[in-house]
Amino acid sequence: MPHTPLIATLVAGLGLAFILGTLANRLRLSPLVGYLLAGVLIGPFTPGFVADQALARQLAELGVILLMFGIGLHFSLHDLLSVRTIAVPGAFGQMALVTSLGFIVTQAIGWPIGAGLVFGLALSVASTVVVLRALQEKRQLETDGGRIAVGWLVVEDVAMILALVLLPAFADVLGGTANRAEPENSGMLTFFEPHTISGALGLTLAKLAAFFALMAIVGRRVIPAILHYVAHTGSRELFRLAVLAIALGVAFGAAELFGVSFALGAFFAGMILAESQLSQRAAQETLPLRDAFAVLFFVSVGMLFNPMILVEQPLLVAATFLIIVVGNAAAASAIAVMFGYSLPIAVTLGLSLAQIGEFSFILAGLGVELNLLPETGRDLVLAGAILSILINPLLFAGLDRLMPRLENRAPVRTEEEGRIDITPKLTTTSLTDHAILVGYGRVGRLVAETLQNAGQPYLIVEERQVVADQLRAGGVDVISGNAAQPGLLEAANVNSAKWLISAIPNPFESGNFIEHARATNPKLEIIARAHSDAEVEYLKRLGANLIIMGEKEIARSISEHILSNINAPDTTTPSDSESRLTSE
């Protein structure tokens, strides 16, 4: 049977990404290195099999949509608005500074003004996928630095949408040719065809405003209502399908009707759903597909890279790389410090934005199409993107070692200054001999009720800001954030705690903070969840005392009920050692 391009691209991309990603992990490198190299190997610039680039990019878009939807599920409108005072001026300021650096380099080598502007702008826009993957791996997405980075990315996305609309209108003025019949992101909702720059800008702003209003007014009622209805059917398959349909449908509709990027549309859909109690379950259902298609994003980036540019233009490649990494990091960090944020937040933000990605490729391609940017410029943008993505994990590794020296080096913003104080508030709790409950989902809620009824002091660690605020309003001791983020367990006074209870469904995520808690407090009683024998063994190795496997607990309860009704007290039942495995 002849293979199809779609299947061949999936098999080659995911297969090579797995092999090279595993090898990179073995060499103590980020798996991203392997994913990018996999793309280079199946790209058109290396011998052997060549995957379909157009299909790879479309598959990668699915990863971007699902990733942004998942991030939106852990973000709230309050979080987004809380960072507007830094994200809006900061993003535009950083983009202006880096665009100027790129423009200066191109003028030094004799490129036209239009080429310099397009090239510089392409170097100033961070990759959404890379930023979010880095923050997730470092458990910093729920920190203040992570929230600022997400808000910053949203502003950059909006700015790039405007740039892509306006660039064809300015092409003749900048020395190119406005030969495009229709802007790429005009969408189906075309009330009129603007013939002036002001008309194009006005139409784009009107579409953006209409999209935001629709999501804020209609989306907040419709999206949660749909998921609640499907959840009541009791079908997990239908629920998973509903989540995917909402994520992909809103992203596609936003792009086609309002000219909004797929990423921005999916992010707002997730953020609207974050206010629902079903948000955690929705995040779990999209996780496997999200990770798989996110890998294809990096493979598709590698396929665009022509290694010969490193030989033909080494000095320009080096200058491009330095502008992307040093220029973006320095500009973003400096702006954050100017706004009164601490050095740890400023440096985390700077390193997060020290790379470029998907929007840069789109802008560079449009520049070449409009005869504004030479082919060499697009190759330089791609080379800079590859190198900056490769170096980004190393920069974060260096940040981990540097972080203790950066703490408390900068002034903290105050309410008296008329600005929102969102610096870390990990004040150590006064509770002792208490229980630390991580996660307030379906399981965590029941455990909290038991602790409350027993009069046992407890503290909840919850990632979702909306849920944390609700608990805090109800008088519950809560720390907002991820239990694995630096300093959080210390703020929960794990040294003096009696229990650590992980109620989150992902045991491998639990392992990150269980290992740290065990090293900090050897006497701590640690209880966790698992779904398989392998997960039980994993958590046991990291120091958990009691691991509950839900499926075996259900089987044990059913068996006990049956035996109690058939009067067989001597018949053996699944033992506690099978359903609950302890290390003692």
Side-chain angles (χ1 to χ4, degrees):
M1 179 185 294
H3 67 261
T4 66
L6 174 61
I7 295 176
T9 300
L10 280 171
V11 172
L14 293 177
L16 266 179
F18 166 69
I19 294 171
L20 296 179
T22 302
L23 180 61
N25 185 68
R26 181 74 174 176
L27 297 174
R28 298 184 181 277
L29 298 173
S30 171
L32 298 186
V33 176
Y35 306 156
L36 292 168
L37 291 179
V40 174
L41 290 179
I42 63 175
F45 304 106
T46 53
F49 172 78
V50 177
D52 191 309
Q53 285 183 289
L55 279 176
R57 284 196 293 271
Q58 291 183 46
L59 292 171
E61 284 286 5
L62 289 175
V64 174
I65 290 171
L66 294 176
L67 179 66
M68 290 301 294
F69 180 73
I71 297 304
L73 289 172
H74 295 284
F75 219 76
S76 69
L77 186 60
H78 175 268
D79 292 331
L80 193 62
L81 293 177
S82 70
V83 299
R84 68 187 184 280
T85 54
I86 175 65
V88 176
F92 282 109
Q94 171 247 324
M95 292 176 70
L97 289 172
V98 176
T99 300
S100 300
L101 292 176
F103 181 80
I104 291 171
V105 169
T106 59
Q107 294 307 290
I109 60 176
W111 285 10
I113 292 177
L117 290 174
V118 174
F119 182 74
L121 190 58
L123 303 187
S124 68
V125 187
S127 167
T128 299
V129 178
V130 177
V131 172
L132 299 180
R133 282 293 292 268
L135 293 173
Q136 281 182 325
E137 288 178 0
K138 294 296 179 181
R139 299 293 188 267
Q140 294 181 346
L141 192 59
E142 297 296 325
T143 65
D144 291 325
R147 293 189 182 98
I148 295 173
V150 173
W152 202 292
L153 288 170
V154 170
V155 176
E156 285 191 347
D157 274 4
V158 173
M160 287 306 298
I161 291 169
L162 295 175
L164 292 172
V165 170
L166 295 178
L167 193 59
F170 279 99
D172 289 330
V173 178
L174 296 174
T177 55
N179 56 358
R180 290 164 57 86
E182 183 181 357
E184 185 173 311
N185 66 333
S186 61
M188 295 186 298
L189 190 62
T190 306
F191 302 110
F192 60 90
E193 185 66 33
H195 298 286
T196 64
I197 294 174
S198 59
L201 180 60
L203 178 60
T204 303
L205 292 175
K207 287 181 177 181
L208 287 171
F211 170 70
F212 295 147
L214 185 67
M215 292 303 296
I217 299 173
V218 180
R220 296 180 73 173
R221 297 175 180 271
V222 175
I223 293 177
I226 292 174
L227 277 191
H228 278 279
Y229 171 79
V230 175
H232 283 124
T233 66
S235 172
R236 183 174 182 180
E237 179 182 341
L238 281 178
F239 184 83
R240 183 183 293 119
L241 187 61
V243 173
L244 291 175
I246 289 172
L248 298 176
V250 172
F252 182 78
E256 287 296 312
L257 297 176
F258 301 102
V260 176
S261 67
F262 287 130
L264 194 60
F267 173 76
F268 270 89
M271 193 171 66
I272 294 301
L273 186 56
E275 299 179 14
S276 167
Q277 294 182 347
L278 294 171
S279 60
Q280 190 174 22
R281 182 180 171 190
Q284 295 168 17
E285 297 296 342
T286 59
L287 184 61
L289 278 177
R290 183 184 72 192
D291 288 345
F293 282 105
V295 168
L296 288 175
F297 166 79
F298 295 99
V299 174
S300 70
V301 172
M303 291 174 64
L304 298 172
F305 179 55
N306 183 1
M308 289 305 297
I309 192 69
L310 300 175
V311 178
E312 297 170 354
Q313 301 286 352
L315 293 180
L316 282 179
V317 170
T320 302
F321 172 75
L322 290 175
I323 291 174
I324 294 171
V325 176
V326 179
N328 279 307
S333 299
I335 291 172
V337 170
M338 287 173 57
F339 274 77
Y341 289 89
S342 65
L343 276 177
I345 291 179
V347 175
T348 299
L349 175 65
L351 295 186
S352 298
L353 302 173
Q355 35 65 40
I356 59 174
E358 53 274 18
F359 263 126
S360 301
F361 309 148
I362 296 172
L363 183 64
L366 178 59
V368 171
E369 185 179 344
L370 295 173
N371 295 321
L372 286 171
L373 186 68
E375 295 278 353
T376 302
R378 180 172 59 184
D379 291 338
L380 288 172
V381 169
L382 292 172
I386 292 284
L387 295 175
S388 65
I389 291 173
L390 288 174
I391 200 69
N392 199 253
L394 300 179
L395 295 177
F396 270 96
L399 177 63
D400 290 340
R401 296 185 178 184
L402 188 63
M403 188 63 77
R405 301 181 183 179
L406 296 177
E407 292 177 350
N408 301 321
R409 292 288 188 87
V412 177
R413 305 189 311 163
T414 63
E415 293 288 350
E416 287 74 15
E417 293 172 336
R419 291 169 289 182
I420 302 172
D421 181 9
I422 63 168
T423 51
K425 298 179 180 179
L426 296 179
T427 305
T428 302
T429 180
S430 59
L431 294 175
T432 58
D433 287 329
H434 58 297
I436 301 173
L437 175 60
V438 180
Y440 194 73
R442 289 176 297 174
V443 174
R445 184 178 293 107
L446 295 175
V447 174
E449 289 177 3
T450 300
L451 294 171
Q452 179 72 31
N453 294 335
Q456 169 63 43
Y458 68 97
L459 176 147
I460 295 175
V461 178
E462 173 57 48
E463 277 190 321
R464 295 168 296 170
Q465 190 63 47
V466 174
V467 176
D469 290 341
Q470 291 172 350
L471 289 169
R472 196 173 287 114
V476 179
D477 284 326
V478 183
I479 295 182
S480 304
N482 189 298
Q485 75 186 60
L488 192 142
L489 285 181
E490 283 71 20
N493 199 12
V494 70
N495 272 317
S496 302
K498 189 173 182 180
W499 287 292
L500 171 65
I501 306 164
S502 176
I504 61 176
N506 188 337
F508 296 102
E509 184 176 344
S510 300
N512 291 312
F513 58 82
I514 285 176
E515 185 176 22
H516 176 60
R518 172 57 65 216
T520 304
N521 185 351
K523 297 181 180 180
L524 188 67
E525 180 80 12
I526 300 177
I527 305 172
R529 295 171 61 184
H531 300 285
S532 69
D533 292 331
E535 293 173 355
V536 169
E537 290 296 332
Y538 171 74
L539 294 174
K540 177 184 176 182
R541 269 198 321 271
L542 295 179
N545 299 93
L546 177 65
I547 302 104
I548 308 296
M549 192 187 300
E551 290 79 1
K552 288 187 176 179
E553 281 295 301
I554 294 172
R556 183 178 66 84
S557 296
I558 293 174
S559 299
E560 288 179 350
H561 177 75
I562 292 173
L563 293 174
S564 67
N565 283 313
I566 63 175
N567 256 337
D570 295 330
T571 305
T572 58
T573 64
S575 66
D576 283 351
S577 62
E578 292 178 337
S579 58
R580 304 183 180 187
L581 182 58
T582 71
S583 61
E584 297 180 341

